[in-house]
Amino acid sequence: MSGASPLAPPAVSPSAGPTLEVRHLSTHFLTRAGALKAVDDVSFSIGRGEVLGLVGESGSGKTVTGFSLLGLVDPPGRVVGGEIRFRGENLVGLPEERMRHLRGNRIAMIFQDPMMTLNPVLRIDTQMIETVLAHAPRLSRAEARARCRDALGQVGIPSPEERLSAYPHEFSGGMRQRVAIAIALLHRPDLIIADEPTTALDVTIQAQILAEVQSLCAGYGTSLLWITHDLSVVAGLADSLAVMYAGRVVETGPVDAVLDAPLHPYTAGLIGSVPSRNRRGAPLRQIPGLTPSLLNLPRGCAFRARCPRADAVCTAPPALDEKRPGRFARCFHPHGEEDGDAG
Amino acid sequence: MSGAALAPDETPLRRFLADYAASPLALLGLLLLLLIAAAAILAPWIAPQDPYDLAQLDILDGKLPPGSPAGAGFTYWLGTDDQGRDMLSGILYGLRTSLGVGAGSAVLAGIVGGALGLLAGYAGGRTDGAIMRVVDLQLSFPAILAALMILAWLGKGVANVVLALVLVEWAYYARTVRGSALAERQRDYVEAARGLALPAWRVLFRHLAPNCAPTFIIVLTMQMARAVALEATLSFLGLGVPITEPSLGLLIANGSEYMLAGQYWISFYPGLALLLTIVAVNLVGDHLRDVLNPKLQA
Amino acid sequence: MTAFLLRRLLQAAFVMLAMSVLVFLGVFAIGDPVEILVSPQADQAERARIIADLGLDRPLWEQYLHFLGNALRGDLGRSFAYNEPALRLILHRLPATLELAASAMLIALVIGLPLGLFAGLPPRTLPLRVIVLVAGLCFSLPALWLARVLLDQLPGGAGPAAAAALALLALGLPAGLAAGVLPRDLPARAIMAGSILGFSLPTFWVGLLLIMVFAVQLGWLPSTGRGATVAVLGVEWSFLTADGIAHLILPALNLALFNISLMVRLVRAGVRETMLTEFVKFARAKGLSPRRIVLVHVLKAIMIPVVTVLGLEFGQTVAFSVVTESVFAWPGVGKLIVDSIYQLDRPVIVAYLMLIVLLFILINLAVDLAYSLLDPRVRLGGRA
């Protein structure tokens, strides 16, 4: 699969270039009703120590994108095209053993619901030590345990030594998510994929966890792919944004630029639908209509039916073009180019 | 996502049939079951001899191996037993008893247990508590022992076996039907029917019962297989049907002593017939469960 | 913990009392032991003397109270047939049955667990497939050979038919397993179909077949009895001698059939459910090996239902050993109870039933305790 890509870029040495570069990634679910294009031609990149916010509604393909990066898409889903360059190495089509060596070691993931991610019948130390030993088999159990204890301390869990021997149900949701984060950080990975890790938590805990993840990643130089549906979360956290709609990235760019002057009408709609203090009293703007079924996408731009700017041109598929330096959008009629023939 | 809406010419029944037909194994089971049932019903007309008409038996034909020619001009395809009885005929007649007892007791137990389960689920409170206490007691005691004791008390006989099976099996229906009745009771349409102050029996039988039907049918099939097996076991132990109306289990028991002497067919073929019957019912039941109740899908 | 045990003991005492009434009434309704015990030639006076001896002339409630009083002192009456204390008779035979049932459960676990694991795991993740293929061959080779023996040795024209039928039955499951080299879920389906077959097999008939093939035709294993035993802690056990094990294999396998199928289905359902959980996905995201995920994360999670069902089924298996013991003339309580029913030996029947009830209570308690050991979320005495 990897060799078949017509867009293979020149090889990048591990030291230079972005930590992660995703190019034209497509993950489809082959169902009886046809191929469900959960991720379709997605491209973005994350530099070392950078935070990328991957934003989209539920069902837009952001979670599947995250799992595709780890090679954890279950059948009938399959990565059908594109490449995932992680420190120069293409992960698509990588042998399972090599992929497993990267998982939890160089690329870690934090899941959405902390109540579900830890095995309820295994103690915390079991679940942490196995992670250490999976990638550092020569370590003794005592050394591994010490490392786990330190990791728990780093994420702000009080008396980590005692808590190591506890079972998950003895922790609150926020504490469990901290354990999950500690597990993700055990091997000081180059990349952490965080799939809405704060959505299931109380607002005050959310803020704490956000701040902690941010500072820990900054400390280790770990890049962060923060998947969320909540623009306000990424606004203060991310360096850059990628907005997904119906399995495709419709806009990418530096976070402030995208939020201040979105190019894609969908991004503009998303920003408009977030309550803001500055616009208090004014009605929230909504995006009319519903997300289309991934099995049956409209021809051309998937957002066409809900877009105030759509016209006949939009029945052709738009490409993700660089509209301005460092800013890409998949649109024929982006904001700020009112002449309308930018495509 | 796969469009739960029915196509214009698709009725729920057709949809069910199509779903059922999707499994070749289940179709095979159904076909086998129909064949066995037909053979059992038609036994008097298709069996080469009447195995219980002593005038037709020739003791000199005793323990003939399969394929031997009979004096009366037909072939003992499956051999004969110690009294010169054609095994094929014996099996066909035995199927009548086995299937009759199995189906009869399953349906009777279903009616008794189903009604009690429905009542418990609908009434709730103390009625529910009392019925379910008895159900728990019944289910905690091994069915085979309970049936043995009941038969030790009642004595042999087809009707007694049916009664014993009903007594040990009603509780399964009661528990399952109560479960789905409880679930259905929470639904809006039952609330609405109660809100309209419809009489209790009407809510029970017109509204609750039909919606418990899928679960009921599944349990019915499974319990029928169990009943056939249990009857055969009881008869094998000598506490089931009388020698005048032998079921497959009794045929197997009668042949067991000869089995060790090499005359395997007297026990082997009735056992095979029994196995095929139970497998057929189980195949049907297993697939019915998958089709009718996706929640139960293992 | 102590409170929990105390409450359970109280409950148990109550259940035992209720069951003693039921059992006593039930057994009292069974037949007339006098008919059997008194010889037809006996005159009226002798008859009356025996009835009085047995206490059968007194009112039912008095008989029950008498029975209960004796029972509390550990006296459940004397067997009419053996003229021996019923309880001693039963206790003397109980180890044989427990040994048989425990062996059957062990077989069910050893065979059913891997098969269920295999059937439940997604087809891709399996280096295990090779193991199962080998296991399948181990099953099918003797089966094939057996069919050939039948073909040669059975008399009559239907020898081939019998051989084919048996080979088909014996091969159903392993043939499906052999398909393990093929992609997709064919072997898993074959295991499921095999488990339906296992549920359907009439135990006593399979027992007869096992005897015919392995004892009579092949002469590999003995057909009946317990074989040589060794006394440990004052109880005779078969599984400690080679001869005893040889005697144990066939009946234990016979008794295990149903539980193997049950185990396969249970484990498969559990594995499928667990493999879809977030914590398994997280374990994969941690970079754990498939082996560790299956053998630690999944197995530990499904051990809870497995142990529960295994425990509860142990009681059922002891009860069902009535059939297997009759077929294999295994000298346990199952054989004894069937004989006692024939002979209307009421004290033995009562003693047996009371013992079974006690066994069930103990098993339930043991299962609850095991539950709390396996599932950290369960605290005894806390929530129900």
Side-chain angles (χ1 to χ4, degrees), chain A residues 245-330:
Chain A
Y245 182 76
R248 293 180 192 162
V249 169
V250 292
E251 176 162 4
T252 64
V255 66
D256 294 333
V258 172
L259 290 180
D260 289 345
L263 291 176
H264 199 281
Y266 174 68
T267 316
L270 266 189
I271 295 169
S273 58
V274 174
S276 145
R277 261 202 312 202
N278 304 337
R279 289 201 314 269
R280 200 150 58 163
L284 285 177
R285 272 170 295 161
Q286 313 172 357
I287 305 174
L290 295 169
T291 323
S293 155
L294 290 174
L295 274 172
N296 191 16
L297 287 176
R299 208 154 42 86
C301 175
F303 189 58
R304 178 159 60 91
R306 304 170 73 186
C307 180
R309 303 175 148 233
D311 61 20
V313 185
C314 302
T315 53
L320 190 63
D321 295 326
E322 189 159 16
K323 307 288 183 192
R324 298 185 197 161
R327 301 207 42 196
F328 293 77
R330 193 185 285 277

Side-chain angles (χ1 to χ4, degrees), chain B residues 132-154:
Chain B
M132 291 324 286
R133 192 63 53 84
V134 181
V135 166
D136 285 343
L137 190 71
Q138 171 81 66
L139 288 182
S140 68
F141 201 73
I144 175 102
L145 287 185
L148 269 180
M149 292 305 144
I150 295 169
L151 282 173
W153 169 41
L154 295 173

Side-chain angles (χ1 to χ4, degrees), chain C residues 354-376:
Chain C
M354 292 313 293
L355 212 67
I356 288 280
V357 172
L358 184 65
L359 186 68
F360 269 73
I361 290 174
L362 289 178
I363 287 171
N364 276 323
L365 191 62
V367 166
D368 280 350
L369 289 175
Y371 214 94
S372 73
L373 287 180
L374 285 171
D375 190 341

Side-chain angles (χ1 to χ4, degrees), chain B residues 24-83:
Chain B
L25 204 60
L27 272 184
L28 185 77
L30 187 63
L31 191 71
L32 195 61
L33 184 60
L34 290 177
L35 271 177
I36 290 172
I41 293 166
L42 298 176
W45 294 278
I46 59 173
Q49 68 170 204
D50 179 351
Y52 303 105
D53 178 4
L54 292 178
Q56 290 187 28
L57 301 185
D58 185 349
I59 196 78
L60 292 177
D61 278 358
K63 297 188 270 181
L64 288 180
S68 309
F74 60 93
T75 309
Y76 295 128
W77 287 113
L78 302 181
T80 61
D81 70 3
D82 52 327
Q83 295 173 46

Side-chain angles (χ1 to χ4, degrees), chain B residues 114-135:
Chain B
L116 284 171
L118 214 52
L119 183 67
Y122 177 78
R126 235 178 247 176
T127 320
D128 184 32
I131 294 177
M132 291 324 286
R133 192 63 53 84
V134 181
V135 166

